Amino acid sequence: MNLLRRTVTRRQGLSLSIAAAGLMLAGCSSENDALADQANAGDNKGYIAGDGSVTEWKKEEREAPVEFTGDLFDGGTLSASDLRGKPAMLNFWYAGCAPCRAEAPHLIELHDKFGKDIAFWGVNVRDEAGTAEAFERNFKIPYKSMKDASGKVLLALSKTVPAQAVPTTLLLDKEGRVAARVLGEIDSSIMKTMMQDLLSE
């Protein structure tokens, strides 16, 4: 598949190849992979930090719409089919992830600008309700999150979202196809451009 790529590198030389085999906390695939090195470091930080690299898929080359069903912390449910009709953002996070905390204000800024035209959703890959809700109150997150400690949503999207690579942010087009992915903390200006491009399709 031919891809359009924009790369923001916060850690020069960090490889982005990582196996999406298994659920959260699954092992990585290569001894020479810098992400695998992080997983094997034994520092107990609990996440593998991407370097902010961005992958964009051309409109005509995007794969089939994603399929998933997730349980919301407020007791509701969300399925991929609910998102059809306008673009959507999915941000994979949890409260103890330092890059997730760092990018939270930028996600709020993006929601303020695009929230009427793009559906914003979080996918919390680890926390119980109390921890997740405390994070959302502290940062004043204006959109809801699915609870995914079981890895159900992550597994459904494992072709696109690497196991353990948190945060990861996906942009879906109005048909529910993955249009872009950021591994690691987002760059606000790049996300604005990609969202504007998605809305202009």
Side-chain angles (χ1 to χ4, degrees), residues 105-196:
H106 303 298
L107 291 168
I108 294 168
E109 176 190 1
L110 290 165
H111 181 272
D112 290 345
K113 182 174 179 63
F114 296 104
K116 292 182 179 179
D117 301 309
I118 296 175
F120 281 63
W121 295 93
V123 183
N124 185 293
V125 298
R126 181 168 299 187
D127 300 323
E128 296 298 325
T131 302
E133 289 166 356
F135 179 99
E136 291 172 340
R137 286 194 303 271
N138 183 50
F139 285 97
K140 298 181 173 59
I141 303 298
Y143 52 87
K144 296 180 180 182
S145 283
M146 291 170 272
K147 53 182 178 181
D148 198 44
S150 67
K152 180 173 66 172
V153 177
L154 183 64
L155 180 61
L157 296 172
S158 62
K159 288 180 63 177
T160 308
V161 183
Q164 290 189 320
V166 180
T168 291
T169 302
L170 299 182
L171 288 179
L172 308 180
D173 65 19
K174 63 184 180 181
E175 297 176 27
R177 303 176 302 171
V178 178
R181 178 188 64 192
V182 181
L183 293 177
E185 184 180 337
I186 65 165
D187 179 280
S188 182
S189 62
I190 289 178
M191 285 295 292
K192 286 178 183 177
T193 300
M194 292 194 299
M195 288 180 169
Q196 288 166 345

Coordinates of all heavy atoms in Angstrom, one line a residue, residues 105-196:
P105 N -4.0 18.9 26.9 CA -4.4 20.2 26.6 C -4.5 20.5 25.1 O -5.4 21.2 24.6 CB -3.3 21.1 27.2 CG -2.7 20.3 28.3 CD -2.8 18.9 27.7
H106 N -3.7 19.8 24.3 CA -3.8 20.0 22.8 C -5.0 19.3 22.3 O -5.6 19.8 21.3 CB -2.5 19.4 22.2 CG -1.2 20.0 22.7 ND1 -0.9 21.3 22.5 CD2 -0.2 19.4 23.4 CE1 0.2 21.6 23.1 NE2 0.7 20.5 23.6
L107 N -5.4 18.2 22.8 CA -6.6 17.5 22.4 C -7.8 18.4 22.7 O -8.8 18.4 21.9 CB -6.7 16.1 23.0 CG -5.7 15.1 22.6 CD1 -5.7 13.9 23.5 CD2 -6.0 14.7 21.1
I108 N -7.8 19.0 23.9 CA -8.9 19.9 24.2 C -9.0 21.1 23.3 O -10.1 21.5 22.8 CB -8.7 20.4 25.7 CG1 -8.8 19.3 26.7 CG2 -9.7 21.5 26.0 CD1 -8.4 19.6 28.1
E109 N -7.8 21.6 22.9 CA -7.8 22.7 21.9 C -8.4 22.3 20.6 O -9.1 23.0 20.0 CB -6.3 23.2 21.8 CG -6.1 24.3 20.7 CD -4.7 24.5 20.4 OE1 -3.8 23.9 21.0 OE2 -4.4 25.4 19.6
L110 N -8.0 21.1 20.2 CA -8.5 20.6 18.9 C -10.0 20.3 19.0 O -10.7 20.6 18.0 CB -7.8 19.3 18.5 CG -6.3 19.4 18.1 CD1 -5.6 18.1 18.2 CD2 -6.2 20.1 16.8
H111 N -10.5 19.8 20.1 CA -11.9 19.6 20.3 C -12.7 21.0 20.2 O -13.7 21.1 19.6 CB -12.2 18.9 21.6 CG -13.7 18.7 21.8 ND1 -14.5 19.6 22.4 CD2 -14.5 17.6 21.5 CE1 -15.7 19.1 22.5 NE2 -15.7 17.9 21.9
D112 N -12.1 22.0 20.8 CA -12.7 23.3 20.8 C -12.9 23.8 19.3 O -13.9 24.5 19.0 CB -11.9 24.3 21.6 CG -12.0 24.1 23.1 OD1 -12.9 23.3 23.5 OD2 -11.1 24.6 23.8
K113 N -11.9 23.5 18.5 CA -11.9 24.0 17.1 C -12.7 23.1 16.2 O -13.4 23.6 15.3 CB -10.5 24.1 16.6 CG -10.3 24.7 15.2 CD -8.9 24.9 14.8 CE -8.8 25.4 13.4 NZ -9.4 26.8 13.2
F114 N -12.7 21.8 16.4 CA -13.2 20.9 15.4 C -14.4 20.0 16.0 O -15.0 19.2 15.2 CB -12.2 19.9 14.9 CG -11.1 20.6 14.1 CD1 -9.8 20.8 14.7 CD2 -11.3 21.1 12.8 CE1 -8.8 21.4 13.9 CE2 -10.3 21.7 12.1 CZ -9.0 21.9 12.6
G115 N -14.7 20.2 17.2 CA -15.6 19.2 17.9 C -17.0 19.2 17.3 O -17.7 18.2 17.4
K116 N -17.4 20.2 16.6 CA -18.8 20.2 16.0 C -18.8 19.4 14.7 O -19.8 18.9 14.3 CB -19.2 21.7 15.7 CG -19.5 22.5 16.9 CD -20.0 23.9 16.5 CE -20.3 24.7 17.8 NZ -20.8 26.1 17.4
D117 N -17.6 19.3 14.1 CA -17.6 18.6 12.8 C -16.9 17.2 12.8 O -17.0 16.4 11.9 CB -16.8 19.5 11.8 CG -17.5 20.8 11.6 OD1 -18.7 20.8 11.3 OD2 -16.8 21.9 11.7
I118 N -16.1 17.0 13.9 CA -15.4 15.7 14.0 C -15.8 15.2 15.4 O -15.7 15.9 16.4 CB -13.9 15.9 13.9 CG1 -13.5 16.4 12.5 CG2 -13.1 14.7 14.3 CD1 -12.0 16.8 12.4
A119 N -16.1 13.9 15.4 CA -16.5 13.2 16.7 C -15.2 12.8 17.4 O -14.3 12.2 16.8 CB -17.3 12.0 16.4
F120 N -15.0 13.3 18.7 CA -13.9 13.0 19.5 C -14.2 11.9 20.5 O -15.2 12.0 21.2 CB -13.4 14.2 20.2 CG -12.6 15.2 19.4 CD1 -13.1 15.8 18.3 CD2 -11.3 15.5 19.7 CE1 -12.4 16.7 17.6 CE2 -10.5 16.3 19.0 CZ -11.1 17.0 17.9
W121 N -13.4 10.8 20.6 CA -13.6 9.8 21.6 C -12.3 9.3 22.1 O -11.3 9.2 21.4 CB -14.3 8.6 20.9 CG -15.7 8.9 20.5 CD1 -16.1 9.3 19.3 CD2 -16.9 8.8 21.3 NE1 -17.5 9.5 19.2 CE2 -18.0 9.2 20.5 CE3 -17.1 8.5 22.6 CZ2 -19.3 9.3 21.0 CZ3 -18.4 8.6 23.1 CH2 -19.5 9.0 22.3
G122 N -12.3 9.0 23.4 CA -11.1 8.4 24.0 C -11.3 6.9 24.1 O -12.4 6.4 24.2
V123 N -10.2 6.2 24.2 CA -10.2 4.7 24.5 C -9.1 4.5 25.6 O -7.9 4.6 25.4 CB -9.8 3.9 23.2 CG1 -9.9 2.4 23.6 CG2 -10.6 4.2 22.0
N124 N -9.6 4.3 26.8 CA -8.8 4.1 28.0 C -8.4 2.6 28.1 O -9.2 1.8 28.3 CB -9.5 4.6 29.2 CG -8.5 4.6 30.4 OD1 -8.1 3.5 30.9 ND2 -8.2 5.7 30.9
V125 N -7.1 2.4 27.9 CA -6.6 1.0 27.8 C -6.3 0.3 29.2 O -5.9 -0.8 29.2 CB -5.4 0.9 26.9 CG1 -5.8 1.4 25.5 CG2 -4.2 1.7 27.4
R126 N -6.4 1.0 30.3 CA -6.0 0.5 31.5 C -6.8 0.8 32.8 O -7.0 -0.1 33.6 CB -4.5 0.9 31.8 CG -3.9 0.4 33.1 CD -2.4 0.6 33.1 NE -1.8 -0.1 32.0 CZ -0.4 -0.1 31.9 NH1 0.3 0.4 32.8 NH2 0.1 -0.8 30.9
D127 N -7.3 2.0 32.9 CA -7.8 2.5 34.2 C -9.2 1.9 34.5 O -10.0 1.7 33.7 CB -7.9 4.0 34.2 CG -6.5 4.6 33.9 OD1 -5.5 4.1 34.5 OD2 -6.4 5.6 33.3
E128 N -9.4 1.9 35.8 CA -10.8 1.7 36.4 C -11.5 3.1 36.2 O -10.9 4.1 36.0 CB -10.8 1.3 37.8 CG -10.1 -0.1 38.0 CD -10.9 -1.2 37.3 OE1 -12.2 -1.1 37.2 OE2 -10.3 -2.2 36.8
A129 N -12.8 3.1 36.4 CA -13.6 4.3 36.2 C -13.1 5.4 37.1 O -13.0 6.6 36.6 CB -15.1 4.0 36.5
G130 N -12.9 5.2 38.4 CA -12.5 6.3 39.2 C -11.2 7.0 38.8 O -11.1 8.3 38.8
T131 N -10.2 6.3 38.4 CA -9.0 6.9 37.9 C -9.2 7.6 36.6 O -8.7 8.7 36.4 CB -7.9 5.7 37.7 OG1 -7.7 5.0 38.9 CG2 -6.6 6.3 37.2
A132 N -9.9 7.0 35.7 CA -10.1 7.7 34.4 C -10.9 9.0 34.6 O -10.6 10.0 34.0 CB -10.8 6.7 33.4
E133 N -12.0 8.9 35.4 CA -12.8 10.1 35.6 C -12.1 11.2 36.3 O -12.3 12.4 36.1 CB -14.1 9.6 36.3 CG -15.0 8.8 35.4 CD -16.1 8.1 36.2 OE1 -16.1 8.2 37.4 OE2 -16.9 7.4 35.5
A134 N -11.2 10.8 37.2 CA -10.4 11.8 37.9 C -9.5 12.6 36.9 O -9.3 13.8 37.0 CB -9.5 11.2 39.0
F135 N -8.9 11.8 36.0 CA -8.1 12.4 34.9 C -8.9 13.4 34.1 O -8.5 14.5 33.8 CB -7.5 11.3 34.1 CG -6.6 11.8 32.9 CD1 -5.3 11.8 33.0 CD2 -7.2 12.2 31.7 CE1 -4.5 12.2 31.9 CE2 -6.4 12.6 30.6 CZ -5.1 12.6 30.8
E136 N -10.1 12.9 33.7 CA -10.9 13.7 32.8 C -11.4 15.0 33.6 O -11.5 16.1 32.9 CB -12.1 12.9 32.4 CG -11.7 11.8 31.4 CD -12.9 10.9 31.1 OE1 -13.8 10.8 31.8 OE2 -12.8 10.2 30.0
R137 N -11.7 14.9 34.9 CA -12.0 16.1 35.6 C -10.8 17.1 35.7 O -11.0 18.3 35.6 CB -12.5 15.7 37.0 CG -13.9 15.1 37.0 CD -14.5 15.1 38.5 NE -13.6 14.3 39.4 CZ -13.7 13.0 39.6 NH1 -14.6 12.3 39.0 NH2 -12.8 12.5 40.5
N138 N -9.7 16.5 36.0 CA -8.5 17.3 36.2 C -8.1 18.1 35.0 O -7.8 19.3 35.1 CB -7.3 16.4 36.7 CG -6.1 17.2 37.0 OD1 -6.1 18.2 37.7 ND2 -5.0 16.8 36.4
F139 N -8.2 17.5 33.8 CA -7.8 18.1 32.6 C -9.0 18.7 31.9 O -8.9 19.4 30.8 CB -7.2 17.1 31.6 CG -5.7 16.8 32.0 CD1 -5.4 15.7 32.8 CD2 -4.7 17.7 31.7 CE1 -4.1 15.4 33.2 CE2 -3.4 17.4 32.1 CZ -3.1 16.2 32.8
K140 N -10.2 18.5 32.4 CA -11.5 19.1 31.8 C -11.7 18.6 30.4 O -11.9 19.3 29.5 CB -11.5 20.6 31.9 CG -11.5 21.2 33.3 CD -11.5 22.7 33.3 CE -11.7 23.3 34.7 NZ -10.6 22.9 35.6
I141 N -11.5 17.2 30.2 CA -11.7 16.6 28.9 C -13.1 16.7 28.5 O -14.0 16.3 29.3 CB -11.2 15.1 29.0 CG1 -9.8 15.0 29.5 CG2 -11.4 14.5 27.6 CD1 -8.8 15.6 28.6
P142 N -13.4 17.3 27.4 CA -14.8 17.6 27.0 C -15.5 16.4 26.2 O -16.7 16.6 25.8 CB -14.7 18.8 26.1 CG -13.3 18.6 25.4 CD -12.5 17.9 26.4
Y143 N -14.9 15.3 26.0 CA -15.5 14.2 25.3 C -15.4 12.9 26.1 O -14.6 12.8 27.1 CB -14.8 14.0 23.9 CG -13.3 13.9 23.9 CD1 -12.7 12.7 24.1 CD2 -12.5 15.1 23.8 CE1 -11.3 12.6 24.1 CE2 -11.2 15.0 23.8 CZ -10.5 13.8 24.0 OH -9.2 13.7 24.0
K144 N -16.1 11.9 25.8 CA -16.2 10.7 26.5 C -15.1 9.7 26.1 O -14.6 9.8 25.0 CB -17.6 10.0 26.4 CG -18.7 10.9 27.0 CD -20.1 10.2 26.8 CE -21.2 11.0 27.3 NZ -22.5 10.3 27.2
S145 N -14.9 8.7 27.0 CA -14.0 7.6 26.7 C -14.6 6.3 26.9 O -15.5 6.1 27.8 CB -12.7 7.7 27.6 OG -11.9 8.7 27.1
M146 N -14.2 5.3 26.1 CA -14.5 3.9 26.3 C -13.5 3.3 27.3 O -12.3 3.6 27.3 CB -14.4 3.1 25.0 CG -15.5 3.5 24.0 SD -15.2 2.8 22.3 CE -14.2 4.1 21.6
K147 N -14.0 2.4 28.1 CA -13.1 1.6 29.0 C -12.7 0.4 28.2 O -13.5 -0.4 27.8 CB -13.8 1.3 30.3 CG -15.1 0.6 30.2 CD -15.7 0.4 31.6 CE -17.1 -0.3 31.5 NZ -17.7 -0.5 32.8
D148 N -11.3 0.2 28.2 CA -10.9 -1.0 27.3 C -9.7 -1.7 28.0 O -8.8 -2.2 27.4 CB -10.4 -0.5 26.0 CG -10.3 -1.6 24.9 OD1 -11.2 -2.4 24.9 OD2 -9.3 -1.6 24.2
A149 N -9.8 -1.8 29.3 CA -8.8 -2.6 30.1 C -8.7 -4.0 29.6 O -7.7 -4.7 29.6 CB -9.0 -2.5 31.6
S150 N -9.9 -4.5 29.1 CA -9.9 -5.9 28.5 C -9.2 -6.0 27.2 O -8.9 -7.1 26.7 CB -11.4 -6.4 28.4 OG -12.0 -5.6 27.4
G151 N -9.0 -4.9 26.5 CA -8.3 -4.9 25.2 C -9.3 -5.2 24.1 O -8.8 -5.4 22.9
K152 N -10.6 -5.2 24.3 CA -11.5 -5.5 23.2 C -11.4 -4.6 22.0 O -11.4 -5.0 20.9 CB -13.0 -5.5 23.8 CG -14.0 -5.9 22.8 CD -15.4 -6.1 23.4 CE -15.9 -4.8 24.0 NZ -17.3 -4.9 24.5
V153 N -11.5 -3.3 22.3 CA -11.4 -2.3 21.2 C -10.0 -2.3 20.6 O -9.8 -2.3 19.3 CB -11.7 -0.9 21.7 CG1 -11.5 0.1 20.6 CG2 -13.1 -0.8 22.2
L154 N -9.0 -2.4 21.4 CA -7.6 -2.4 20.9 C -7.4 -3.6 20.0 O -6.8 -3.5 19.0 CB -6.6 -2.5 22.1 CG -5.1 -2.5 21.8 CD1 -4.7 -1.2 21.1 CD2 -4.3 -2.7 23.0
L155 N -7.9 -4.8 20.4 CA -7.8 -6.0 19.5 C -8.5 -5.8 18.2 O -8.0 -6.1 17.2 CB -8.3 -7.2 20.3 CG -8.2 -8.5 19.5 CD1 -6.8 -8.9 19.2 CD2 -8.9 -9.6 20.3
A156 N -9.7 -5.2 18.3 CA -10.4 -5.0 17.0 C -9.7 -4.1 16.0 O -9.8 -4.2 14.8 CB -11.8 -4.4 17.3
L157 N -8.8 -3.2 16.6 CA -8.1 -2.2 15.8 C -6.6 -2.6 15.7 O -5.8 -1.7 15.4 CB -8.3 -0.8 16.3 CG -9.7 -0.3 16.3 CD1 -9.8 1.0 17.0 CD2 -10.2 -0.1 14.9
S158 N -6.3 -3.8 16.0 CA -4.8 -4.2 16.2 C -4.1 -4.1 14.9 O -2.8 -4.0 14.9 CB -4.7 -5.6 16.7 OG -5.3 -6.5 15.8
K159 N -4.7 -4.1 13.7 CA -4.0 -3.9 12.4 C -3.4 -2.5 12.3 O -2.5 -2.3 11.6 CB -5.0 -4.2 11.3 CG -5.3 -5.6 11.0 CD -6.2 -5.8 9.8 CE -5.6 -5.3 8.5 NZ -6.4 -5.6 7.4
T160 N -4.0 -1.5 13.1 CA -3.6 -0.1 13.0 C -3.0 0.4 14.2 O -2.1 1.2 14.2 CB -4.9 0.7 12.6 OG1 -5.5 0.2 11.5 CG2 -4.4 2.2 12.3
V161 N -3.5 -0.1 15.4 CA -3.0 0.4 16.7 C -2.0 -0.7 17.3 O -2.5 -1.7 17.7 CB -4.1 0.7 17.6 CG1 -3.6 1.2 19.0 CG2 -5.1 1.6 17.0
P162 N -0.7 -0.4 17.4 CA 0.2 -1.3 17.9 C -0.1 -1.6 19.4 O -0.4 -0.7 20.2 CB 1.6 -0.7 17.7 CG 1.4 0.4 16.7 CD 0.0 0.8 16.9
A163 N 0.0 -2.9 19.8 CA -0.1 -3.2 21.2 C 1.0 -2.4 22.0 O 2.1 -2.4 21.6 CB 0.1 -4.7 21.4
Q164 N 0.5 -1.8 23.1 CA 1.4 -1.1 24.1 C 1.8 0.3 23.6 O 2.4 1.1 24.4 CB 2.7 -1.9 24.4 CG 2.4 -3.1 25.3 CD 3.7 -3.7 25.8 OE1 4.7 -3.7 25.1 NE2 3.7 -4.1 27.0
A165 N 1.6 0.7 22.4 CA 2.0 2.0 21.9 C 1.0 3.0 22.3 O 0.0 3.3 21.6 CB 2.2 2.0 20.4
V166 N 1.2 3.6 23.5 CA 0.3 4.6 24.1 C 1.0 5.9 24.4 O 2.1 5.8 25.0 CB -0.4 4.0 25.4 CG1 -1.3 5.0 26.0 CG2 -1.0 2.7 25.1
P167 N 0.5 7.0 24.0 CA -0.8 7.2 23.2 C -0.6 6.9 21.8 O 0.4 7.0 21.2 CB -1.1 8.7 23.4 CG 0.3 9.3 23.6 CD 1.1 8.3 24.3
T168 N -1.8 6.5 21.2 CA -1.9 6.4 19.7 C -3.2 7.2 19.4 O -4.2 7.0 20.1 CB -2.0 5.0 19.3 OG1 -0.7 4.3 19.4 CG2 -2.4 4.9 17.8
T169 N -3.2 7.9 18.3 CA -4.4 8.7 17.9 C -4.7 8.3 16.4 O -3.8 8.4 15.6 CB -4.2 10.2 18.0 OG1 -3.8 10.5 19.4 CG2 -5.4 10.9 17.7
L170 N -6.0 8.0 16.2 CA -6.4 7.7 14.9 C -7.4 8.7 14.4 O -8.2 9.3 15.2 CB -7.2 6.3 14.8 CG -6.4 5.1 15.2 CD1 -7.4 3.9 15.1 CD2 -5.2 4.9 14.4
L171 N -7.4 9.0 13.1 CA -8.4 9.8 12.5 C -9.1 8.9 11.5 O -8.5 8.3 10.6 CB -7.8 11.0 11.7 CG -7.2 12.2 12.6 CD1 -6.6 13.3 11.7 CD2 -8.3 12.7 13.5
L172 N -10.4 8.9 11.6 CA -11.3 8.1 10.7 C -12.0 9.0 9.8 O -12.4 10.1 10.2 CB -12.3 7.3 11.5 CG -11.8 6.4 12.6 CD1 -13.0 5.7 13.3 CD2 -10.7 5.4 12.1
D173 N -12.2 8.7 8.5 CA -12.9 9.5 7.6 C -14.4 9.2 7.8 O -14.8 8.4 8.7 CB -12.5 9.2 6.2 CG -12.8 7.8 5.6 OD1 -13.6 7.1 6.3 OD2 -12.2 7.5 4.6
K174 N -15.3 9.9 7.1 CA -16.7 9.8 7.4 C -17.3 8.5 7.1 O -18.4 8.2 7.5 CB -17.5 10.9 6.6 CG -17.3 10.8 5.1 CD -18.0 12.0 4.4 CE -17.9 11.9 2.9 NZ -18.6 13.1 2.2
E175 N -16.5 7.6 6.3 CA -17.0 6.3 6.1 C -16.5 5.3 7.1 O -16.8 4.1 7.1 CB -16.5 5.8 4.7 CG -17.0 6.6 3.6 CD -16.5 6.2 2.2 OE1 -16.1 5.1 2.1 OE2 -16.4 7.1 1.3
G176 N -15.7 5.8 8.1 CA -15.2 4.9 9.1 C -13.9 4.3 8.8 O -13.4 3.3 9.5
R177 N -13.2 4.7 7.8 CA -11.9 4.2 7.4 C -10.8 5.0 8.1 O -10.9 6.2 8.2 CB -11.7 4.2 5.9 CG -12.8 3.4 5.1 CD -12.7 3.5 3.6 NE -12.7 4.9 3.2 CZ -12.4 5.3 2.0 NH1 -12.1 4.4 1.0 NH2 -12.5 6.6 1.6
V178 N -9.7 4.3 8.4 CA -8.5 5.0 9.0 C -7.8 5.8 8.0 O -7.4 5.3 7.0 CB -7.5 4.0 9.6 CG1 -6.3 4.7 10.2 CG2 -8.2 3.1 10.7
A179 N -7.8 7.1 8.2 CA -7.2 8.1 7.3 C -5.8 8.5 7.8 O -4.9 8.9 7.0 CB -8.1 9.3 7.2
A180 N -5.6 8.4 9.1 CA -4.3 8.9 9.6 C -4.1 8.3 11.0 O -5.0 7.9 11.7 CB -4.2 10.4 9.7
R181 N -2.8 8.1 11.4 CA -2.4 7.6 12.7 C -1.2 8.3 13.2 O -0.2 8.6 12.5 CB -2.1 6.1 12.6 CG -1.6 5.5 13.9 CD -1.1 4.1 13.7 NE 0.1 4.1 12.9 CZ 0.6 3.0 12.3 NH1 0.1 1.8 12.5 NH2 1.7 3.1 11.6
V182 N -1.2 8.7 14.5 CA -0.1 9.2 15.2 C 0.4 8.3 16.3 O -0.4 7.9 17.2 CB -0.4 10.6 15.8 CG1 0.9 11.2 16.5 CG2 -0.9 11.6 14.8
L183 N 1.6 7.8 16.2 CA 2.2 7.0 17.3 C 2.9 7.9 18.3 O 4.0 8.4 17.9 CB 3.1 5.9 16.7 CG 2.5 4.9 15.8 CD1 3.6 4.0 15.3 CD2 1.5 4.0 16.6
G184 N 2.4 8.0 19.5 CA 3.0 8.9 20.5 C 2.3 10.2 20.6 O 1.2 10.3 20.1
E185 N 2.9 11.1 21.3 CA 2.2 12.4 21.6 C 2.0 13.2 20.3 O 2.9 13.2 19.4 CB 3.1 13.2 22.5 CG 2.6 14.5 23.0 CD 3.5 15.2 23.9 OE1 4.4 14.6 24.5 OE2 3.4 16.5 24.0
I186 N 0.8 13.7 20.2 CA 0.5 14.4 19.0 C 1.2 15.8 18.9 O 1.6 16.3 19.9 CB -1.1 14.7 18.9 CG1 -1.5 15.7 20.0 CG2 -1.9 13.4 18.9 CD1 -2.9 16.2 19.8
D187 N 1.3 16.2 17.7 CA 1.8 17.6 17.4 C 0.5 18.4 17.0 O -0.1 18.0 16.0 CB 2.8 17.6 16.3 CG 3.2 19.0 15.9 OD1 2.5 19.7 15.2 OD2 4.3 19.5 16.4
S188 N 0.1 19.4 17.7 CA -1.1 20.1 17.5 C -1.3 20.7 16.1 O -2.3 20.5 15.5 CB -1.3 21.2 18.6 OG -2.6 21.8 18.4
S189 N -0.2 21.3 15.6 CA -0.3 21.9 14.3 C -0.5 20.9 13.2 O -1.3 21.1 12.3 CB 0.9 22.8 14.1 OG 2.1 22.0 14.0
I190 N 0.1 19.8 13.3 CA 0.0 18.7 12.3 C -1.4 18.1 12.4 O -2.1 17.9 11.3 CB 1.0 17.6 12.4 CG1 2.4 18.2 12.0 CG2 0.7 16.4 11.6 CD1 3.5 17.2 12.2
M191 N -1.9 17.9 13.6 CA -3.3 17.4 13.7 C -4.3 18.4 13.2 O -5.3 18.0 12.5 CB -3.6 17.1 15.2 CG -2.9 15.9 15.8 SD -3.5 14.4 15.0 CE -5.2 14.3 15.6
K192 N -4.1 19.7 13.4 CA -5.0 20.7 12.8 C -5.1 20.6 11.3 O -6.2 20.6 10.7 CB -4.6 22.1 13.2 CG -4.9 22.4 14.6 CD -4.4 23.9 14.9 CE -4.6 24.2 16.4 NZ -4.1 25.6 16.7
T193 N -3.9 20.4 10.7 CA -3.8 20.3 9.2 C -4.5 19.1 8.7 O -5.3 19.1 7.8 CB -2.4 20.3 8.7 OG1 -1.7 21.6 9.1 CG2 -2.3 20.2 7.2
M194 N -4.3 18.0 9.4 CA -4.9 16.7 9.0 C -6.4 16.7 9.1 O -7.2 16.2 8.3 CB -4.3 15.5 9.7 CG -2.9 15.3 9.4 SD -2.2 13.6 9.9 CE -2.5 13.8 11.7
M195 N -6.9 17.3 10.2 CA -8.3 17.5 10.4 C -9.0 18.4 9.4 O -10.1 18.1 8.9 CB -8.6 18.0 11.9 CG -8.3 16.9 12.9 SD -8.6 17.5 14.6 CE -8.5 16.0 15.5
Q196 N -8.3 19.4 9.1 CA -8.8 20.3 8.0 C -8.9 19.6 6.7 O -9.9 19.7 5.9 CB -8.0 21.6 8.0 CG -8.2 22.5 9.1 CD -7.1 23.6 9.2 OE1 -6.0 23.5 8.6 NE2 -7.3 24.6 10.0

